[in-house]
Amino acid sequence: MSGSNLSDVPPFGASRAMAEVDQPLGLTVHSLPSPAEAEAAGVQAQRTRSGRLKMLLVVLICAAPVVASYFTYYVVRPEGRSVFGELIDPQRPLPDLEAVGLDGQTLRLPSLKGQWLLVSVAGGDCDASCERNLYLQRQLRESLGKEKERVDWVWLVNDEAPVRESLRPALQSATVLRVDRAALAQWLAPAAGQALPAHLYIVDPMGNWMMRLPPALDAASAAKAKRDIERLLRASGSWDNAGR
């Protein structure tokens, strides 16, 4: 005890004698709940527990399809086939960048969420490699049949060069957006030794860049890429619908 020493403590016998001195006994009376009140409190507590369990169950039910589909694709790997594209780990969410469409309208990149995105990157002058990627994007999407409505093909223009007028008719079903090159490079990344425009990139409906397709796709490798996309669509079929 602070400020005390052994000489201040009374002998053991003295403490016993002091305890035997009659002292008035104070009592505090606490009222007990009535049976009805006790029953009501118990019912309320049970309802609270039940409500929490129901809420947790709803959350689990909502999350289960997403978790199951990603587990199926990333862990089970349907049909025992290897993945042609390179999975991105950790996935990278769409950055909150401003983009400008061909019509001059601005939007934020996260507004693209809600659809699978097949993305290419190139300057507005669009060289032969860029044209090939745009062609493959369109063909890959069209080859998906009725499932194509769940996929948008996106061209991100990463410079100030104007898009050639001759290209515009072929881009009617594409989403073409001009974005800042440096900011875009903080999100998408090429494989070692490659440039950003060399690849096609796949973004899931939650806005996460999750796969990078190999560079310089041709008809044969595009067929392998299509299988990857079809597997992704099947794996997400229970929770992803066409449209945003």
Side-chain angles (χ1 to χ4, degrees):
M1 294 180 290
S2 176
S4 301
N5 54 50
L6 291 177
S7 63
D8 297 323
V9 180
F12 177 78
S15 297
R16 182 176 180 183
M18 292 171 63
E20 292 175 353
V21 177
D22 291 338
Q23 298 290 339
L25 181 64
L27 295 177
T28 301
V29 179
H30 298 278
S31 60
L32 297 175
S34 66
E37 291 174 335
E39 182 178 358
V43 170
Q44 183 61 37
Q46 184 176 2
R47 287 177 178 172
T48 300
R49 288 193 298 271
S50 177
R52 289 173 179 169
L53 289 174
K54 288 179 180 178
M55 184 178 296
L56 178 60
L57 183 61
V58 168
V59 171
L60 290 175
I61 290 174
C62 293
V66 180
V67 174
S69 63
Y70 273 84
F71 177 82
T72 299
Y73 189 80
Y74 290 116
V75 181
V76 178
R77 300 290 170 83
E79 305 173 19
R81 298 174 183 170
S82 61
V83 179
F84 176 66
E86 180 183 355
L87 296 172
I88 305 304
D89 185 24
Q91 299 173 10
R92 300 186 186 182
L94 275 164
D96 189 22
L97 297 179
E98 183 176 82
V100 181
L102 290 179
D103 58 1
Q105 297 296 313
T106 61
L107 56 79
R108 312 299 295 189
L109 284 188
S111 67
L112 299 178
K113 290 180 181 180
Q115 289 278 83
W116 285 95
L117 306 178
L118 184 58
V119 180
S120 64
V121 179
D125 57 357
C126 195
D127 60 14
S129 175
C130 164
E131 288 193 25
R132 182 179 65 249
N133 278 343
L134 291 176
Y135 171 78
L136 288 173
Q137 284 175 275
R138 183 182 64 186
Q139 294 304 102
L140 281 169
R141 182 177 183 272
E142 291 298 321
S143 70
L144 297 173
K146 64 179 182 180
E147 294 296 318
K148 73 178 184 180
E149 300 303 328
R150 295 170 58 194
V151 180
D152 284 350
W153 61 295
V154 180
W155 175 19
L156 299 180
V157 181
N158 64 347
D159 64 10
E160 297 302 319
V163 175
R164 298 198 315 269
E165 288 296 329
S166 60
L167 282 178
R168 294 186 181 234
L171 298 171
Q172 293 299 313
S173 59
T175 299
V176 182
L177 299 170
R178 195 179 303 276
V179 294
D180 179 75
R181 179 194 298 266
L184 184 61
Q186 298 300 312
W187 176 45
L188 299 176
Q194 298 292 336
L196 196 61
H199 301 274
L200 296 181
Y201 305 88
I202 297 178
V203 179
D204 70 23
M206 291 175 285
N208 297 310
W209 169 38
M210 49 77 62
M211 182 178 287
R212 177 174 56 212
L213 296 177
L217 292 179
D218 55 19
S221 55
K224 297 177 182 178
K226 179 190 173 185
R227 286 198 293 269
D228 271 359
I229 295 171
E230 288 175 332
R231 290 164 61 188
L232 286 167
L233 293 175
R234 284 197 300 271
S236 61
S238 61
W239 56 272
D240 172 51
N241 299 312
R244 292 186 172 86

